[in-house]
């Protein structure tokens, strides 16, 4: 019965949308929250709703448990939610017993640098036509009216990615580059390293599996890593939480689980079964 509810958890979300919202929130934000529409802790839920983690807050009691939750509606109203109405999936957080931590926090420096690199590159091409940053030095002091004209002409030339030509400059003007080019700065390599750091932190194995230069053997190994290090822990964590917080309402000793995504060497498994058959009876094998 609970499986049917997961396929159609509420009037607005399909089962796939609901689980995608849950998994994405837990993976990116460190927290995913369900609200169960049920009358009491012992009743089966009629609906399951995913709530943005930023709109709820746990309220601890004096025994290191959760007394209740507070839901902050978009209109500013606050609603009390009982602890049995909420299912909270969270990542490990060394600073809080009640709230998960986002893996993005450990990537803050990497992501900040990546964003700055992309903004600089975008501004360079959008405003200056990709021209290298440079400095014009003038031997003689130039009056303000002429100085304003030169600056405007410099900007126009940069947007057209053209070399600015100055008349009557003689030996009094020189040119120098004031910044390394993207190639000299290993710009592309830096972006690739940032991407590698992010993927390896959030979804180990996924980047290697999708790499265009990956061979079939490398892709299969990366797929196995992704299934074992990313998918399986996520599924197991969600399944155990469902087992402890929801399934007791459906009956005793029920265990929730998803299909195991980990890859199995079928040839090795058959070889092990054949070896087992040589030393056991038919009933023992069955």
């Amino acid at each position: 019965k609970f499986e049917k509810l997961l396929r159609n958890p509420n009037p607005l979300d399909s089962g796939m949308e609901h689980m995608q919202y849950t998994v994405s929130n837990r993976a990116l934000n460190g927290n995913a929250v369900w609200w169960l529409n049920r009358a009491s802790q012992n009743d089966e839920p009629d609906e399951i709703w995913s709530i943005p983690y930023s709109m709820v807050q746990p309220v601890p009691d004096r025994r290191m448990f959760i007394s209740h939750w507070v839901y902050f509606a978009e209109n500013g109203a606050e609603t009390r939610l009982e602890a049995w109405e909420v299912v909270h999936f969270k990542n490990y957080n060394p600073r809080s017993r009640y709230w998960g931590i986002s893996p993005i926090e450990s990537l803050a420096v990497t992501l900040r640098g990546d964003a700055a690199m992309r903004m600089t590159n975008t501004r360079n091409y959008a405003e200056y036509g990709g021209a290298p940053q440079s400095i014009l030095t003038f031997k003689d002091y130039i009056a303000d009216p002429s100085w304003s004209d030169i600056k405007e002409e410099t900007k126009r030339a940069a947007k057209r990615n053209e070399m600015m030509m100055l008349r009557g400059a003689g030996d009094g003007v020189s040119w120098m580059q004031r910044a390394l080019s993207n190639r000299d700065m290993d710009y592309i390599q830096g972006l690739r390293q940032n991407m590698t750091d992010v993927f390896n932190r959030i979804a180990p194995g996924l980047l290697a599996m999708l790499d265009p230069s990956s061979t079939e053997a490398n892709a299969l190994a990366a797929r196995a890593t992704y299934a074992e290090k990313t998918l399986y822990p996520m599924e197991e964590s969600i399944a155990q939480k469902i087992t402890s917080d929801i399934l007791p309402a459906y009956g005793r000793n029920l265990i929730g689980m998803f299909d195991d995504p980990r890859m199995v060497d079928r040839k090795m498994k058959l070889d092990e079964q054949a070896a087992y058959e040589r030393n056991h009876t038919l009933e023992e094998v069955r």
Side-chain angles (χ1 to χ4, degrees):
K1 191 173 181 180
F2 179 70
E3 292 183 48
K4 293 182 179 179
L5 181 62
L6 275 184
R7 294 191 185 99
N8 186 24
N10 60 70
L12 295 183
D13 301 321
S14 67
M16 179 64 74
E17 291 172 332
H18 175 71
M19 291 307 300
Q20 184 179 29
Y21 193 92
T22 302
V23 171
S24 298
N25 265 322
R26 187 184 182 280
L28 297 178
N29 304 317
N31 298 276
V33 180
W34 289 0
W35 175 68
L36 307 180
N37 183 8
R38 58 178 176 176
S40 70
Q41 184 175 3
N42 298 322
D43 290 330
E44 300 174 4
D46 296 321
E47 297 174 336
I48 303 177
W49 293 84
S50 291
I51 302 178
Y53 78 102
S54 58
M55 299 178 69
V56 292
Q57 179 178 341
V59 179
D61 60 14
R62 297 183 179 181
R63 298 175 299 171
M64 297 184 66
F65 291 98
I66 294 178
S67 169
H68 61 279
W69 291 74
V70 178
Y71 171 71
F72 303 95
E74 294 181 354
N75 61 4
E78 298 183 8
T79 304
R80 176 190 172 107
L81 301 177
E82 300 300 332
W84 44 264
E85 292 182 83
V86 176
V87 180
H88 181 204
F89 308 94
K90 63 180 183 294
N91 289 340
Y92 167 71
N93 185 351
R95 300 192 299 269
S96 175
R97 181 70 177 82
Y98 309 102
W99 206 240
I101 190 172
S102 169
I104 300 300
E105 293 190 33
S106 64
L107 296 167
V109 175
T110 298
L111 294 176
R112 183 179 179 184
D114 187 90
M117 291 171 67
R118 295 178 186 274
M119 289 177 61
T120 299
N121 193 55
T122 299
R123 184 171 60 251
N124 182 38
Y125 282 94
E127 299 181 12
Y128 303 109
Q133 301 180 41
S134 56
I135 297 176
L136 279 174
T137 62
F138 294 79
K139 180 178 180 181
D140 300 322
Y141 187 81
I142 300 177
D144 288 342
S146 299
W147 182 246
S148 298
D149 294 339
I150 291 175
K151 288 196 296 183
E152 289 300 322
E153 181 60 28
T154 302
K155 291 180 181 180
R156 287 193 294 268
K159 288 183 179 181
R160 296 191 299 267
N161 198 16
E162 297 176 350
M163 182 65 182
M164 188 182 70
M165 307 297 293
L166 293 178
R167 293 175 293 177
D171 296 329
V173 179
S174 60
W175 179 91
M176 67 178 68
Q177 186 172 317
R178 70 179 177 91
L180 296 174
S181 66
N182 285 347
R183 180 177 179 181
D184 293 333
M185 291 189 299
D186 290 332
Y187 176 80
I188 300 300
Q189 183 61 33
L191 290 180
R192 287 176 178 171
Q193 184 59 51
N194 291 341
M195 183 173 63
T196 299
D197 293 341
V198 172
F199 271 79
N200 287 342
R201 175 64 181 89
I202 297 178
L206 181 59
L207 183 62
M209 183 173 61
L210 301 177
D211 192 333
S213 63
S214 178
T215 64
E216 182 179 3
N218 292 341
L220 289 175
R223 179 182 176 186
T225 301
Y226 176 69
E228 183 172 351
K229 302 298 184 182
T230 303
L231 291 182
Y232 178 73
M234 176 72 74
E235 288 186 355
E236 190 66 14
S237 175
I238 294 176
Q240 290 187 15
K241 195 69 174 180
I242 290 174
T243 298
S244 62
D245 289 16
I246 302 178
L247 293 187
Y250 290 87
R252 299 179 59 183
N253 301 323
L254 295 178
I255 298 177
M257 63 180 62
F258 297 95
D259 293 337
D260 194 334
R262 293 176 295 181
M263 299 180 65
V264 178
D265 190 330
R266 300 183 64 86
K267 184 179 183 303
M268 181 180 295
K269 189 173 182 180
L270 291 174
D271 291 343
E272 291 176 351
Q273 181 178 337
Y276 188 84
E277 291 173 352
R278 290 195 294 268
N279 300 291
H280 295 78
T281 65
L282 181 60
E283 291 298 328
E284 288 175 328
V285 173
R286 287 178 176 174

